[in-house]
């Protein structure tokens, strides 16, 4: 049974198409108009082993906020759709990923309850590349969590380079998400004593 989610989201600010295959091989086709964000979504696909297509047209003449936010909302909704009833998945997972001087620790619970805890070093460079506002990293994860309905804890205890600090978060997020939604042959039905997630 395929686990593919497709979402189209259109507002006055953005037009977004996302397709994700949770049982892919890490193939990605990403275009948001925000170069560093494209790079981070490529990391999500590659290290999560998700096949991921993202096409976003946004009001970049204003700034990149709406483009990144709406893409993350659509991605979360597509992920939730792809998971289906969540039967047989592992549910919980964590990952630690270093990138040179930076380290990210990510824990996820595919719980049905959206919650984000996010900490990263303060005083980062405000922009990566031409147009990636580093204050948006938390908001991207907030937007994903709201639609995917997962509990996500991200902690970066140290790091100096803004590029490294953000990239190790996306890589660790990808790994944790991959392991949490993988099927476990020993799990029968939904992995919850409530019988639902």
């Amino acid at each position: 049974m395929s686990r593919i989610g497709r979402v189209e989201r259109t507002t006055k600010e953005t037009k977004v198409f996302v397709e994700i295959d949770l049982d892919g091989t890490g193939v990605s086709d990403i275009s948001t108009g925000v170069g560093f964000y494209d790079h981070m979504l490529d990391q999500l696909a590659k290290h999560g082993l998700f096949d991921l297509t993202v096409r976003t047209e946004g009001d970049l003449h204003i700034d990149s906020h709406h483009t990144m936010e709406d893409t993350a909302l659509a991605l979360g909704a597509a992920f939730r759709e792809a998971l289906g009833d969540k039967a047989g998945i592992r549910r919980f997972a964590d990952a630690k990923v270093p990138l040179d001087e930076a380290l990210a620790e990510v824990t996820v619970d595919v719980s049905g309850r959206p919650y984000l805890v996010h900490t990263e070093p303060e005083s980062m460079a405000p922009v990566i590349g031409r147009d990636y506002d580093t204050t948006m990293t938390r908001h991207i994860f907030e937007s994903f969590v709201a639609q995917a309905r997962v509990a996500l804890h991200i902690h970066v205890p140290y790091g100096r380079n803004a590029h490294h600090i953000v990239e190790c978060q996306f890589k660790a997020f990808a790994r944790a998400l991959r392991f949490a939604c993988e099927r476990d042959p020993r799990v029968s039905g939904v992995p919850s004593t409530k019988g639902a997630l």
Side-chain angles (χ1 to χ4, degrees):
M1 185 178 221
S2 65
R3 296 192 299 168
I4 297 173
R6 292 182 193 88
V7 168
E8 294 185 57
R9 186 177 194 277
T10 301
T11 71
K12 291 181 179 179
E13 298 166 340
T14 61
K15 181 178 180 181
V16 185
F17 171 80
V18 173
E19 179 176 284
I20 187 168
D21 182 349
L22 301 183
D23 301 309
T25 59
V27 174
S28 62
D29 182 7
I30 313 293
S31 178
T32 68
V34 182
F36 186 75
Y37 192 34
D38 290 357
H39 181 45
M40 293 304 95
L41 295 177
D42 282 334
Q43 300 301 320
L44 176 62
K46 182 70 172 179
H47 296 284
L49 292 181
F50 307 131
D51 289 347
L52 179 61
T53 299
V54 176
R55 291 272 180 265
T56 304
E57 298 172 18
D59 53 0
L60 294 176
H61 61 285
I62 295 175
D63 68 10
S64 59
H65 184 112
H66 299 141
T67 295
M68 291 194 283
E69 176 184 48
D70 290 1
T71 299
L73 289 167
L75 179 61
F79 176 81
R80 187 178 77 242
E81 179 184 301
L83 270 177
D85 64 6
K86 305 176 190 173
I89 66 168
R90 298 183 190 279
R91 177 179 171 181
F92 302 100
D94 59 81
K96 289 185 180 182
V97 171
L99 184 52
D100 295 351
E101 86 297 342
L103 176 72
E105 304 167 334
V106 174
T107 306
V108 65
D109 174 11
V110 183
S111 61
R113 297 183 306 278
Y115 201 92
L116 176 69
V117 176
H118 182 267
T119 61
E120 63 184 4
E122 296 180 3
S123 303
M124 275 199 297
V127 178
I128 299 172
R130 290 189 325 243
D131 46 12
Y132 184 93
D133 176 353
T134 56
T135 66
M136 283 297 294
T137 303
R138 177 186 176 91
H139 192 50
I140 288 164
F141 289 122
E142 284 174 334
S143 300
F144 176 87
V145 160
Q147 292 298 314
R149 297 180 189 161
V150 302
L152 178 64
H153 292 233
I154 299 176
H155 178 52
V156 182
Y158 47 80
R160 290 186 310 274
N161 181 280
H163 187 128
H164 295 165
I165 289 168
V166 175
E167 185 169 336
C168 68
Q169 290 179 61
F170 275 88
K171 286 178 174 177
F173 172 58
R175 297 280 291 179
L177 208 57
R178 167 187 164 187
F179 299 143
C181 67
E182 278 184 345
R183 292 189 174 101
D184 185 333
R186 296 174 299 168
V187 175
S188 176
V190 176
S192 170
T193 55
K194 295 178 182 179
L197 286 173

PDB file of all heavy atoms in Angstrom, residues 42-69:
ATOM      1  N   ASP A  42      15.717  19.688   0.245  1.00  0.00           N
ATOM      2  CA  ASP A  42      16.495  18.597  -0.347  1.00  0.00           C
ATOM      3  C   ASP A  42      17.085  17.709   0.749  1.00  0.00           C
ATOM      4  O   ASP A  42      17.117  16.476   0.618  1.00  0.00           O
ATOM      5  CB  ASP A  42      17.636  19.146  -1.209  1.00  0.00           C
ATOM      6  CG  ASP A  42      17.181  19.630  -2.580  1.00  0.00           C
ATOM      7  OD1 ASP A  42      16.160  19.129  -3.081  1.00  0.00           O
ATOM      8  OD2 ASP A  42      17.859  20.505  -3.149  1.00  0.00           O
ATOM      9  N   GLN A  43      17.561  18.325   1.830  1.00  0.00           N
ATOM     10  CA  GLN A  43      18.113  17.562   2.959  1.00  0.00           C
ATOM     11  C   GLN A  43      17.029  16.672   3.587  1.00  0.00           C
ATOM     12  O   GLN A  43      17.285  15.521   3.951  1.00  0.00           O
ATOM     13  CB  GLN A  43      18.681  18.495   4.033  1.00  0.00           C
ATOM     14  CG  GLN A  43      19.807  19.400   3.577  1.00  0.00           C
ATOM     15  CD  GLN A  43      20.995  18.634   3.043  1.00  0.00           C
ATOM     16  OE1 GLN A  43      21.381  17.605   3.585  1.00  0.00           O
ATOM     17  NE2 GLN A  43      21.570  19.137   1.967  1.00  0.00           N
ATOM     18  N   LEU A  44      15.826  17.232   3.714  1.00  0.00           N
ATOM     19  CA  LEU A  44      14.708  16.466   4.276  1.00  0.00           C
ATOM     20  C   LEU A  44      14.442  15.219   3.457  1.00  0.00           C
ATOM     21  O   LEU A  44      14.272  14.121   3.996  1.00  0.00           O
ATOM     22  CB  LEU A  44      13.454  17.343   4.338  1.00  0.00           C
ATOM     23  CG  LEU A  44      12.174  16.661   4.802  1.00  0.00           C
ATOM     24  CD1 LEU A  44      12.312  16.147   6.235  1.00  0.00           C
ATOM     25  CD2 LEU A  44      10.990  17.616   4.695  1.00  0.00           C
ATOM     26  N   ALA A  45      14.405  15.374   2.140  1.00  0.00           N
ATOM     27  CA  ALA A  45      14.159  14.227   1.257  1.00  0.00           C
ATOM     28  C   ALA A  45      15.297  13.224   1.330  1.00  0.00           C
ATOM     29  O   ALA A  45      15.074  12.023   1.540  1.00  0.00           O
ATOM     30  CB  ALA A  45      13.964  14.710  -0.176  1.00  0.00           C
ATOM     31  N   LYS A  46      16.521  13.705   1.189  1.00  0.00           N
ATOM     32  CA  LYS A  46      17.690  12.822   1.117  1.00  0.00           C
ATOM     33  C   LYS A  46      17.876  12.003   2.387  1.00  0.00           C
ATOM     34  O   LYS A  46      18.083  10.794   2.349  1.00  0.00           O
ATOM     35  CB  LYS A  46      18.943  13.664   0.848  1.00  0.00           C
ATOM     36  CG  LYS A  46      20.216  12.857   0.701  1.00  0.00           C
ATOM     37  CD  LYS A  46      20.205  12.062  -0.583  1.00  0.00           C
ATOM     38  CE  LYS A  46      21.551  11.415  -0.842  1.00  0.00           C
ATOM     39  NZ  LYS A  46      21.527  10.630  -2.088  1.00  0.00           N
ATOM     40  N   HIS A  47      17.811  12.665   3.535  1.00  0.00           N
ATOM     41  CA  HIS A  47      18.103  11.982   4.797  1.00  0.00           C
ATOM     42  C   HIS A  47      16.871  11.321   5.410  1.00  0.00           C
ATOM     43  O   HIS A  47      17.006  10.467   6.295  1.00  0.00           O
ATOM     44  CB  HIS A  47      18.767  12.954   5.768  1.00  0.00           C
ATOM     45  CG  HIS A  47      20.095  13.422   5.260  1.00  0.00           C
ATOM     46  ND1 HIS A  47      21.221  12.639   5.291  1.00  0.00           N
ATOM     47  CD2 HIS A  47      20.464  14.585   4.655  1.00  0.00           C
ATOM     48  CE1 HIS A  47      22.235  13.294   4.751  1.00  0.00           C
ATOM     49  NE2 HIS A  47      21.804  14.476   4.348  1.00  0.00           N
ATOM     50  N   GLY A  48      15.681  11.694   4.920  1.00  0.00           N
ATOM     51  CA  GLY A  48      14.467  11.007   5.355  1.00  0.00           C
ATOM     52  C   GLY A  48      14.096   9.851   4.445  1.00  0.00           C
ATOM     53  O   GLY A  48      13.200   9.079   4.752  1.00  0.00           O
ATOM     54  N   LEU A  49      14.801   9.746   3.304  1.00  0.00           N
ATOM     55  CA  LEU A  49      14.464   8.773   2.255  1.00  0.00           C
ATOM     56  C   LEU A  49      13.024   8.944   1.781  1.00  0.00           C
ATOM     57  O   LEU A  49      12.316   7.973   1.511  1.00  0.00           O
ATOM     58  CB  LEU A  49      14.729   7.338   2.711  1.00  0.00           C
ATOM     59  CG  LEU A  49      16.191   6.967   2.909  1.00  0.00           C
ATOM     60  CD1 LEU A  49      16.323   5.513   3.349  1.00  0.00           C
ATOM     61  CD2 LEU A  49      17.010   7.225   1.639  1.00  0.00           C
ATOM     62  N   PHE A  50      12.611  10.200   1.702  1.00  0.00           N
ATOM     63  CA  PHE A  50      11.298  10.539   1.159  1.00  0.00           C
ATOM     64  C   PHE A  50      11.484  11.027  -0.276  1.00  0.00           C
ATOM     65  O   PHE A  50      12.405  11.796  -0.554  1.00  0.00           O
ATOM     66  CB  PHE A  50      10.640  11.670   1.957  1.00  0.00           C
ATOM     67  CG  PHE A  50      10.554  11.427   3.445  1.00  0.00           C
ATOM     68  CD1 PHE A  50      10.972  12.395   4.342  1.00  0.00           C
ATOM     69  CD2 PHE A  50      10.044  10.236   3.938  1.00  0.00           C
ATOM     70  CE1 PHE A  50      10.888  12.192   5.707  1.00  0.00           C
ATOM     71  CE2 PHE A  50       9.956  10.019   5.316  1.00  0.00           C
ATOM     72  CZ  PHE A  50      10.382  11.002   6.198  1.00  0.00           C
ATOM     73  N   ASP A  51      10.616  10.612  -1.178  1.00  0.00           N
ATOM     74  CA  ASP A  51      10.560  11.237  -2.490  1.00  0.00           C
ATOM     75  C   ASP A  51       9.685  12.479  -2.332  1.00  0.00           C
ATOM     76  O   ASP A  51       8.545  12.388  -1.870  1.00  0.00           O
ATOM     77  CB  ASP A  51       9.984  10.292  -3.533  1.00  0.00           C
ATOM     78  CG  ASP A  51      10.946   9.151  -3.875  1.00  0.00           C
ATOM     79  OD1 ASP A  51      12.135   9.235  -3.486  1.00  0.00           O
ATOM     80  OD2 ASP A  51      10.503   8.185  -4.521  1.00  0.00           O
ATOM     81  N   LEU A  52      10.234  13.631  -2.695  1.00  0.00           N
ATOM     82  CA  LEU A  52       9.563  14.883  -2.373  1.00  0.00           C
ATOM     83  C   LEU A  52       9.583  15.841  -3.557  1.00  0.00           C
ATOM     84  O   LEU A  52      10.638  16.129  -4.123  1.00  0.00           O
ATOM     85  CB  LEU A  52      10.264  15.541  -1.178  1.00  0.00           C
ATOM     86  CG  LEU A  52       9.730  16.893  -0.694  1.00  0.00           C
ATOM     87  CD1 LEU A  52       8.280  16.773  -0.224  1.00  0.00           C
ATOM     88  CD2 LEU A  52      10.624  17.427   0.427  1.00  0.00           C
ATOM     89  N   THR A  53       8.387  16.304  -3.927  1.00  0.00           N
ATOM     90  CA  THR A  53       8.246  17.349  -4.938  1.00  0.00           C
ATOM     91  C   THR A  53       7.601  18.556  -4.281  1.00  0.00           C
ATOM     92  O   THR A  53       6.579  18.425  -3.597  1.00  0.00           O
ATOM     93  CB  THR A  53       7.359  16.871  -6.108  1.00  0.00           C
ATOM     94  OG1 THR A  53       7.966  15.733  -6.722  1.00  0.00           O
ATOM     95  CG2 THR A  53       7.192  17.972  -7.150  1.00  0.00           C
ATOM     96  N   VAL A  54       8.206  19.713  -4.472  1.00  0.00           N
ATOM     97  CA  VAL A  54       7.658  20.965  -3.942  1.00  0.00           C
ATOM     98  C   VAL A  54       7.733  22.020  -5.026  1.00  0.00           C
ATOM     99  O   VAL A  54       8.801  22.260  -5.596  1.00  0.00           O
ATOM    100  CB  VAL A  54       8.434  21.453  -2.694  1.00  0.00           C
ATOM    101  CG1 VAL A  54       7.897  22.804  -2.237  1.00  0.00           C
ATOM    102  CG2 VAL A  54       8.360  20.435  -1.561  1.00  0.00           C
ATOM    103  N   ARG A  55       6.597  22.653  -5.310  1.00  0.00           N
ATOM    104  CA  ARG A  55       6.531  23.751  -6.264  1.00  0.00           C
ATOM    105  C   ARG A  55       5.795  24.905  -5.586  1.00  0.00           C
ATOM    106  O   ARG A  55       4.604  24.799  -5.294  1.00  0.00           O
ATOM    107  CB  ARG A  55       5.738  23.328  -7.506  1.00  0.00           C
ATOM    108  CG  ARG A  55       6.442  22.301  -8.347  1.00  0.00           C
ATOM    109  CD  ARG A  55       7.356  22.987  -9.362  1.00  0.00           C
ATOM    110  NE  ARG A  55       8.053  22.011 -10.175  1.00  0.00           N
ATOM    111  CZ  ARG A  55       9.271  21.559  -9.924  1.00  0.00           C
ATOM    112  NH1 ARG A  55       9.912  21.968  -8.861  1.00  0.00           N
ATOM    113  NH2 ARG A  55       9.850  20.694 -10.714  1.00  0.00           N
ATOM    114  N   THR A  56       6.513  25.973  -5.326  1.00  0.00           N
ATOM    115  CA  THR A  56       5.897  27.125  -4.675  1.00  0.00           C
ATOM    116  C   THR A  56       6.145  28.390  -5.470  1.00  0.00           C
ATOM    117  O   THR A  56       7.274  28.672  -5.865  1.00  0.00           O
ATOM    118  CB  THR A  56       6.449  27.323  -3.246  1.00  0.00           C
ATOM    119  OG1 THR A  56       6.260  26.130  -2.485  1.00  0.00           O
ATOM    120  CG2 THR A  56       5.739  28.481  -2.542  1.00  0.00           C
ATOM    121  N   GLU A  57       5.065  29.141  -5.708  1.00  0.00           N
ATOM    122  CA  GLU A  57       5.151  30.486  -6.269  1.00  0.00           C
ATOM    123  C   GLU A  57       4.629  31.421  -5.191  1.00  0.00           C
ATOM    124  O   GLU A  57       3.479  31.302  -4.765  1.00  0.00           O
ATOM    125  CB  GLU A  57       4.299  30.607  -7.527  1.00  0.00           C
ATOM    126  CG  GLU A  57       4.730  29.688  -8.661  1.00  0.00           C
ATOM    127  CD  GLU A  57       3.747  29.705  -9.820  1.00  0.00           C
ATOM    128  OE1 GLU A  57       2.927  30.648  -9.901  1.00  0.00           O
ATOM    129  OE2 GLU A  57       3.785  28.755 -10.622  1.00  0.00           O
ATOM    130  N   GLY A  58       5.498  32.319  -4.726  1.00  0.00           N
ATOM    131  CA  GLY A  58       5.101  33.193  -3.629  1.00  0.00           C
ATOM    132  C   GLY A  58       5.401  34.653  -3.898  1.00  0.00           C
ATOM    133  O   GLY A  58       6.023  35.002  -4.905  1.00  0.00           O
ATOM    134  N   ASP A  59       4.958  35.496  -2.972  1.00  0.00           N
ATOM    135  CA  ASP A  59       5.130  36.943  -3.110  1.00  0.00           C
ATOM    136  C   ASP A  59       6.521  37.357  -2.617  1.00  0.00           C
ATOM    137  O   ASP A  59       6.664  38.122  -1.660  1.00  0.00           O
ATOM    138  CB  ASP A  59       4.022  37.682  -2.360  1.00  0.00           C
ATOM    139  CG  ASP A  59       3.886  37.259  -0.902  1.00  0.00           C
ATOM    140  OD1 ASP A  59       4.654  36.384  -0.445  1.00  0.00           O
ATOM    141  OD2 ASP A  59       3.018  37.831  -0.208  1.00  0.00           O
ATOM    142  N   LEU A  60       7.529  36.866  -3.319  1.00  0.00           N
ATOM    143  CA  LEU A  60       8.907  37.137  -2.923  1.00  0.00           C
ATOM    144  C   LEU A  60       9.290  38.607  -3.122  1.00  0.00           C
ATOM    145  O   LEU A  60      10.327  39.041  -2.598  1.00  0.00           O
ATOM    146  CB  LEU A  60       9.865  36.228  -3.704  1.00  0.00           C
ATOM    147  CG  LEU A  60       9.736  34.734  -3.389  1.00  0.00           C
ATOM    148  CD1 LEU A  60      10.668  33.928  -4.287  1.00  0.00           C
ATOM    149  CD2 LEU A  60      10.034  34.461  -1.915  1.00  0.00           C
ATOM    150  N   HIS A  61       8.473  39.363  -3.836  1.00  0.00           N
ATOM    151  CA  HIS A  61       8.732  40.799  -3.951  1.00  0.00           C
ATOM    152  C   HIS A  61       8.505  41.511  -2.619  1.00  0.00           C
ATOM    153  O   HIS A  61       9.001  42.620  -2.409  1.00  0.00           O
ATOM    154  CB  HIS A  61       7.844  41.424  -5.032  1.00  0.00           C
ATOM    155  CG  HIS A  61       6.377  41.295  -4.748  1.00  0.00           C
ATOM    156  ND1 HIS A  61       5.693  40.103  -4.897  1.00  0.00           N
ATOM    157  CD2 HIS A  61       5.465  42.209  -4.309  1.00  0.00           C
ATOM    158  CE1 HIS A  61       4.419  40.293  -4.571  1.00  0.00           C
ATOM    159  NE2 HIS A  61       4.265  41.546  -4.212  1.00  0.00           N
ATOM    160  N   ILE A  62       7.765  40.844  -1.707  1.00  0.00           N
ATOM    161  CA  ILE A  62       7.572  41.387  -0.356  1.00  0.00           C
ATOM    162  C   ILE A  62       8.706  40.895   0.537  1.00  0.00           C
ATOM    163  O   ILE A  62       9.520  41.649   1.019  1.00  0.00           O
ATOM    164  CB  ILE A  62       6.194  40.981   0.212  1.00  0.00           C
ATOM    165  CG1 ILE A  62       5.095  41.634  -0.641  1.00  0.00           C
ATOM    166  CG2 ILE A  62       6.065  41.384   1.675  1.00  0.00           C
ATOM    167  CD1 ILE A  62       3.705  41.233  -0.280  1.00  0.00           C
ATOM    168  N   ASP A  63       8.722  39.582   0.772  1.00  0.00           N
ATOM    169  CA  ASP A  63       9.845  38.900   1.418  1.00  0.00           C
ATOM    170  C   ASP A  63       9.579  37.406   1.319  1.00  0.00           C
ATOM    171  O   ASP A  63       8.644  36.977   0.641  1.00  0.00           O
ATOM    172  CB  ASP A  63      10.077  39.363   2.872  1.00  0.00           C
ATOM    173  CG  ASP A  63       8.973  38.958   3.853  1.00  0.00           C
ATOM    174  OD1 ASP A  63       8.080  38.151   3.479  1.00  0.00           O
ATOM    175  OD2 ASP A  63       8.996  39.426   4.997  1.00  0.00           O
ATOM    176  N   SER A  64      10.382  36.596   1.977  1.00  0.00           N
ATOM    177  CA  SER A  64      10.259  35.142   1.823  1.00  0.00           C
ATOM    178  C   SER A  64       9.345  34.486   2.857  1.00  0.00           C
ATOM    179  O   SER A  64       9.127  33.279   2.820  1.00  0.00           O
ATOM    180  CB  SER A  64      11.645  34.496   1.894  1.00  0.00           C
ATOM    181  OG  SER A  64      12.269  34.794   3.134  1.00  0.00           O
ATOM    182  N   HIS A  65       8.796  35.275   3.774  1.00  0.00           N
ATOM    183  CA  HIS A  65       8.024  34.714   4.890  1.00  0.00           C
ATOM    184  C   HIS A  65       6.850  33.847   4.425  1.00  0.00           C
ATOM    185  O   HIS A  65       6.734  32.683   4.829  1.00  0.00           O
ATOM    186  CB  HIS A  65       7.515  35.850   5.792  1.00  0.00           C
ATOM    187  CG  HIS A  65       6.802  35.385   7.017  1.00  0.00           C
ATOM    188  ND1 HIS A  65       7.321  35.549   8.280  1.00  0.00           N
ATOM    189  CD2 HIS A  65       5.617  34.753   7.190  1.00  0.00           C
ATOM    190  CE1 HIS A  65       6.485  35.050   9.170  1.00  0.00           C
ATOM    191  NE2 HIS A  65       5.432  34.555   8.530  1.00  0.00           N
ATOM    192  N   HIS A  66       5.964  34.408   3.619  1.00  0.00           N
ATOM    193  CA  HIS A  66       4.767  33.662   3.202  1.00  0.00           C
ATOM    194  C   HIS A  66       5.128  32.411   2.406  1.00  0.00           C
ATOM    195  O   HIS A  66       4.493  31.364   2.557  1.00  0.00           O
ATOM    196  CB  HIS A  66       3.848  34.554   2.355  1.00  0.00           C
ATOM    197  CG  HIS A  66       3.355  35.758   3.073  1.00  0.00           C
ATOM    198  ND1 HIS A  66       3.226  36.986   2.464  1.00  0.00           N
ATOM    199  CD2 HIS A  66       2.973  35.941   4.360  1.00  0.00           C
ATOM    200  CE1 HIS A  66       2.778  37.873   3.349  1.00  0.00           C
ATOM    201  NE2 HIS A  66       2.616  37.262   4.502  1.00  0.00           N
ATOM    202  N   THR A  67       6.150  32.516   1.580  1.00  0.00           N
ATOM    203  CA  THR A  67       6.579  31.378   0.767  1.00  0.00           C
ATOM    204  C   THR A  67       7.034  30.224   1.650  1.00  0.00           C
ATOM    205  O   THR A  67       6.620  29.074   1.454  1.00  0.00           O
ATOM    206  CB  THR A  67       7.717  31.814  -0.181  1.00  0.00           C
ATOM    207  OG1 THR A  67       7.199  32.771  -1.107  1.00  0.00           O
ATOM    208  CG2 THR A  67       8.293  30.628  -0.935  1.00  0.00           C
ATOM    209  N   MET A  68       7.870  30.503   2.637  1.00  0.00           N
ATOM    210  CA  MET A  68       8.384  29.444   3.501  1.00  0.00           C
ATOM    211  C   MET A  68       7.290  28.889   4.420  1.00  0.00           C
ATOM    212  O   MET A  68       7.160  27.680   4.596  1.00  0.00           O
ATOM    213  CB  MET A  68       9.581  29.950   4.309  1.00  0.00           C
ATOM    214  CG  MET A  68      10.796  30.215   3.434  1.00  0.00           C
ATOM    215  SD  MET A  68      12.329  30.411   4.343  1.00  0.00           S
ATOM    216  CE  MET A  68      12.150  32.053   4.982  1.00  0.00           C
ATOM    217  N   GLU A  69       6.486  29.777   4.984  1.00  0.00           N
ATOM    218  CA  GLU A  69       5.412  29.356   5.876  1.00  0.00           C
ATOM    219  C   GLU A  69       4.393  28.466   5.160  1.00  0.00           C
ATOM    220  O   GLU A  69       4.059  27.368   5.642  1.00  0.00           O
ATOM    221  CB  GLU A  69       4.712  30.589   6.439  1.00  0.00           C
ATOM    222  CG  GLU A  69       3.505  30.291   7.315  1.00  0.00           C
ATOM    223  CD  GLU A  69       2.814  31.562   7.758  1.00  0.00           C
ATOM    224  OE1 GLU A  69       2.549  32.443   6.892  1.00  0.00           O
ATOM    225  OE2 GLU A  69       2.536  31.685   8.950  1.00  0.00           O
TER     226      GLU A  69
END
